[in-house]
């Protein structure tokens, strides 16, 4: 204990708040932190609770008479039911009562660890890592998907839709593929995606009508850099079994950077803040040129978030959002400014792959957010990581983000090629987008908010010169999705 007058205030949760996912994010202010002060969290049965904490770093000088306020973020795992959680710091504490209730969901997400025939199931890691087997891989993957449950919920909450998120079918488990390991090393990521998507459908391990699969290929292999060229292009040339593609019912990823991922909640913030340099001569670096373990974890987790967005029918957006080029900074969500860099500082511009093959298209150069958007985000005290409004609106009505009682009641949408009109049967329209067929980039959109007196049951597209190059995307109030390639429409 010390003589300083501390105070801990939680800013983003309410007493009695109900959560439908177990790993949550607490944001707050800490007054007068001390050198020896540490956080501890206990529940109402006096048991310690798993958590991870990040406190922002000091900036500039601190006057002796001025109270020092530091922001903190805590990742906390809730126990089922209603419990009081006491957040302790040095000599002070604050209590909050929170409720965790598992959601009733028909539509779920299943993380899997894909092991090809002939492969050991061990992912590539440092030479002294004896814990790179399938069991530890599944722990890391389950934790990562739980973090993304939290992230999706927080980002929808910031848009005013409540903390909606997807539900897990089960913790990550191995999936033993029919594909031979030797053959997989010769395949492109597009070919790997189609192969495993086909296997999942054919072998019927999951009901692909109601389950989105997030797959991680155990046999990703990086041969190392010996010529001094550490560009991402050269790194990719020396990597086999790599993928970062999402669409339809599958998001597929390599495991070349799984060695940077934590396996316990308590170590998440430290993993994101890790400045340990990557030995690029031996290990894969996918950190958007940050070349640290923390940067690699952040970028690859952000990539999973982005590609999962495609499985939830999100297109690309021309901004610095998660579905733009903003996913590299995903660490800001969980550690805020504790990393010591400006919020929203995403590093170099990058090329982002869209969905594979026939699902979307090719590589697209994405732009930075405009100054107006940046100022609006800062005014809202955001962390610089966000979904564009159209993406958030789509997710808020998506069947994977709502309980089993919503949607699926035979409601459908139709498109009349002659009149170019979207019409609903028993529902109304929430969103209509026109996306580039090649890149999946949103070009134009029309939204119909709940505040309006009545949403339309039909919508006619205006006449546009480039309709043959676009795909129509629409969402209704029941979560039905309509996608139409407008290439077939004859211009009048």
């Amino acid at each position: 204990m010390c003589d300083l007058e501390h105070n801990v205030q939680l800013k983003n949760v309410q007493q009695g708040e109900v959560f439908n996912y177990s790993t949550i994010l607490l944001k707050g202010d800490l007054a007068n932190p001390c050198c020896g002060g540490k956080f501890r969290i206990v529940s109402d049965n006096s048991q310690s609770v798993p958590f991870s904490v990040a406190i922002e770093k000091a900036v500039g000088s601190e006057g002796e008479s001025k109270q020092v306020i530091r922001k903190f973020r805590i990742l906390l795992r809730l126990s089922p039911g209603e419990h009081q959680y006491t957040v302790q710091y040095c000599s002070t504490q604050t209590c909050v009562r929170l409720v965790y209730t598992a959601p009733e969901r028909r539509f779920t997400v299943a993380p899997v660890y894909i092991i090809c025939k002939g492969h050991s199931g061990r992912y590539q890691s440092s030479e002294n890592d004896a814990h790179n087997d399938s069991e530890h891989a599944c722990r890391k993957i389950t934790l990562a998907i739980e973090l993304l449950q939290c992230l999706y919920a927080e980002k929808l909450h910031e848009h005013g839709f409540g903390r909606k998120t997807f539900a897990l079918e089960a913790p990550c488990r191995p999936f033993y593929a029919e594909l031979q390991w030797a053959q997989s090393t010769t395949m492109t990521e597009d070919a790997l995606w189609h192969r495993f998507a086909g296997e999942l459908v054919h072998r019927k391990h999951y009901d692909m009508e109601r389950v989105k699969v997030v797959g991680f290929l155990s046999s990703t292999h990086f041969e190392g850099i010996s010529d001094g060229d550490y560009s991402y292009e050269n790194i990719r040339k020396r990597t086999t079994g790599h993928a970062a593609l999402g669409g339809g019912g599958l998001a597929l990823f390599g495991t070349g950077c799984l060695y940077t991922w934590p396996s316990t909640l308590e170590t998440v913030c430290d993993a994101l803040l890790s400045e340990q340099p990557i030995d690029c001569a031996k290990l894969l670096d996918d950190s958007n040129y940050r070349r640290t373990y923390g940067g690699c974890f952040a970028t690859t987790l952000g990539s999973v978030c982005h590609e999962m967005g495609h499985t939830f029918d999100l297109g690309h957006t021309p901004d610095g959002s998660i579905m733009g080029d903003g996913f590299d900074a995903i660490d800001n969500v969980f550690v805020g400014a504790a990393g010591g860099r400006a919020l929203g500082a995403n590093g170099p511009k990058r090329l982002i792959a869209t969905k594979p093959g026939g699902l979307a298209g090719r590589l697209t150069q994405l732009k930075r957010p405009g100054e107006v958007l940046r100022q609006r985000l800062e005014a809202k005290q955001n962390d610089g990581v966000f979904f564009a409004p159209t993406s958030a609106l789509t997710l808020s009505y998506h069947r994977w983000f709502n309980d089993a009682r919503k949607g699926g009641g035979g409601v459908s949408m139709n498109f009349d090629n002659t009149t170019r009109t979207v019409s609903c049967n028993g529902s109304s329209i929430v969103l209509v987008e026109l996306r580039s067929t090649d890149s999946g980039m949103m070009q134009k959109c029309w939204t119909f908010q709940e505040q309006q007196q009545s949403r339309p049951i039909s919508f006619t597209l205006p006449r546009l010169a480039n309709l043959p190059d676009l795909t129509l995307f629409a969402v209704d109030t029941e979560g039905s999705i309509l996608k139409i390639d407008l290439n077939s429409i004859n211009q009048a």
Side-chain angles (χ1 to χ4, degrees):
M1 299 296 179
C2 69
D3 296 329
L4 290 174
E5 184 178 344
H6 304 296
N7 186 28
V8 175
Q9 291 186 339
L10 299 178
K11 296 291 190 178
N12 69 321
V13 294
Q14 304 296 323
Q15 291 289 343
E17 190 161 347
V18 178
F19 293 83
N20 291 320
Y21 53 99
S22 61
T23 299
I24 71 166
L25 180 66
L26 302 179
K27 300 178 186 179
D29 290 343
L30 169 64
N32 299 321
C34 57
C35 294
K38 292 184 178 180
F39 276 96
R40 183 169 180 257
I41 302 179
V42 296
S43 64
D44 43 18
N45 57 7
S46 299
Q47 294 295 313
S48 294
V49 179
F51 75 97
S52 186
V53 63
I55 307 173
E56 72 173 15
K57 295 181 178 180
V59 178
S61 60
E62 299 170 351
E64 293 182 2
S65 61
K66 185 178 179 181
Q67 187 181 56
V68 177
I69 303 293
R70 299 268 182 85
K71 295 185 182 299
F72 65 84
R73 299 188 182 212
I74 292 174
L75 282 162
L76 171 68
R77 180 162 290 141
L78 301 180
S79 300
E82 181 175 353
H83 296 278
Q84 178 169 285
Y85 298 90
T86 301
V87 181
Q88 303 172 348
Y89 181 85
C90 196
S91 59
T92 191
Q93 66 181 36
T94 187
C95 299
V96 62
R97 186 162 289 277
L98 302 172
V99 182
Y100 166 50
T101 176
E104 178 187 350
R105 295 289 178 84
R106 178 186 174 199
F107 301 99
T108 60
V109 169
V112 300
Y113 186 61
I114 301 172
I115 303 175
C116 291
K117 276 189 174 180
H119 190 260
S120 66
R122 290 186 175 274
Y123 61 88
Q124 189 172 12
S125 186
S126 57
E127 294 175 354
N128 58 356
D129 183 4
H131 302 293
N132 61 337
D133 55 17
S134 60
E135 179 184 349
H136 285 84
C138 284
R139 287 183 193 172
K140 292 184 173 199
I141 291 166
T142 298
L143 175 59
I145 303 303
E146 288 174 340
L147 293 176
L148 294 183
Q149 272 187 307
C150 175
L151 182 145
Y152 271 82
E154 287 297 315
K155 296 302 137 184
L156 285 181
H157 181 67
E158 289 171 7
H159 278 278
F161 295 118
R163 287 188 169 92
K164 290 186 176 183
T165 192
F166 58 88
L168 283 179
E169 175 82 1
C172 180
R173 60 186 61 171
F175 175 83
Y176 295 94
E178 296 292 336
L179 179 65
Q180 292 287 341
W181 172 31
Q183 184 181 351
S184 74
T185 63
T186 67
M187 298 170 68
T188 65
E189 58 182 342
D190 184 273
L192 288 168
W193 186 97
H194 282 92
R195 172 60 190 244
F196 292 125
E199 278 204 34
L200 286 164
V201 171
H202 177 71
R203 294 173 61 184
K204 300 181 180 179
H205 277 224
Y206 298 98
D207 178 0
M208 300 301 288
E209 293 295 319
R210 65 169 194 84
V211 178
K212 305 284 189 185
V213 174
V214 187
F216 295 81
L217 184 58
S218 71
S219 51
T220 306
H221 182 74
F222 173 60
E223 68 179 52
I225 299 292
S226 58
D227 58 4
D229 179 2
Y230 296 110
S231 68
Y232 186 64
E233 290 75 17
N234 195 40
I235 289 173
R236 284 296 303 273
K237 287 177 183 177
R238 298 171 181 270
T239 308
T240 57
H242 175 80
L245 294 172
L250 172 65
L252 180 66
F253 305 92
T255 54
C257 293
L258 201 60
Y259 70 93
T260 68
W261 288 24
S263 57
T264 63
L265 181 67
E266 294 89 335
T267 56
V268 168
C269 291
D270 285 344
L272 287 169
L273 294 170
S274 174
E275 294 293 327
Q276 181 176 346
I278 295 171
D279 182 356
C280 296
K282 298 178 180 180
L283 295 171
L284 179 63
D285 171 31
D286 187 2
S287 64
N288 203 18
Y289 296 101
R290 285 178 274 185
R291 304 206 190 289
T292 63
Y293 274 50
C296 203
F297 175 34
T299 288
T300 50
L301 183 65
S303 176
V304 176
C305 184
H306 177 101
E307 299 302 335
M308 283 183 68
H310 287 316
T311 70
F312 299 134
D313 301 293
L314 302 183
H316 285 139
T317 50
D319 50 28
S321 73
I322 292 168
M323 300 311 296
D325 66 349
F327 64 78
D328 290 293
I330 202 172
D331 46 333
N332 288 344
V333 175
F334 303 114
V335 301
R341 62 190 176 96
L343 295 179
N346 302 345
K349 293 183 180 180
R350 60 186 293 136
L351 290 174
I352 296 179
T354 64
K355 305 172 195 175
L359 290 175
R362 306 180 182 91
L363 293 174
T364 306
Q365 181 70 56
L366 302 175
K367 298 179 181 179
R368 293 289 175 183
E371 187 59 23
V372 172
L373 176 59
R374 192 178 299 280
Q375 290 174 354
R376 178 169 65 85
L377 291 172
E378 290 174 353
K380 291 173 64 177
Q381 295 186 326
N382 203 341
D383 46 38
V385 181
F386 62 100
F387 282 110
T390 54
S391 297
L393 185 61
T394 298
L395 293 173
S396 72
Y397 283 92
H398 203 279
R399 288 176 179 170
W400 264 258
F401 283 69
N402 290 283
D403 64 37
R405 294 164 291 178
K406 182 178 176 64
V411 177
S412 62
M413 285 186 289
N414 300 291
F415 183 70
D416 188 312
N417 284 359
T418 303
T419 62
R420 301 187 307 184
T421 300
V422 180
S423 58
C424 293
N425 176 22
S427 62
S428 53
I429 298 172
V430 171
L431 165 73
V432 175
E433 278 186 17
L434 291 177
R435 299 175 179 174
S436 168
T437 301
D438 280 347
S439 67
M441 178 67 71
M442 189 267 289
Q443 302 294 328
K444 293 183 179 295
C445 69
W446 298 264
T447 60
F448 307 96
Q449 301 289 350
E450 193 173 1
Q451 299 91 302
Q452 296 175 217
Q453 289 186 344
S454 62
R455 292 191 175 102
I457 61 173
S458 65
F459 178 81
T460 301
L461 291 176
R463 294 188 177 278
L464 300 170
N466 61 341
L467 272 181
D469 303 321
L470 300 176
T471 293
L472 169 72
F473 174 82
V475 183
D476 72 3
T477 50
E478 294 298 318
S480 299
I481 301 289
L482 178 69
K483 294 180 183 178
I484 301 290
D485 186 347
L486 299 180
N487 226 4
S488 59
I489 296 179
N490 294 320
Q491 293 294 309

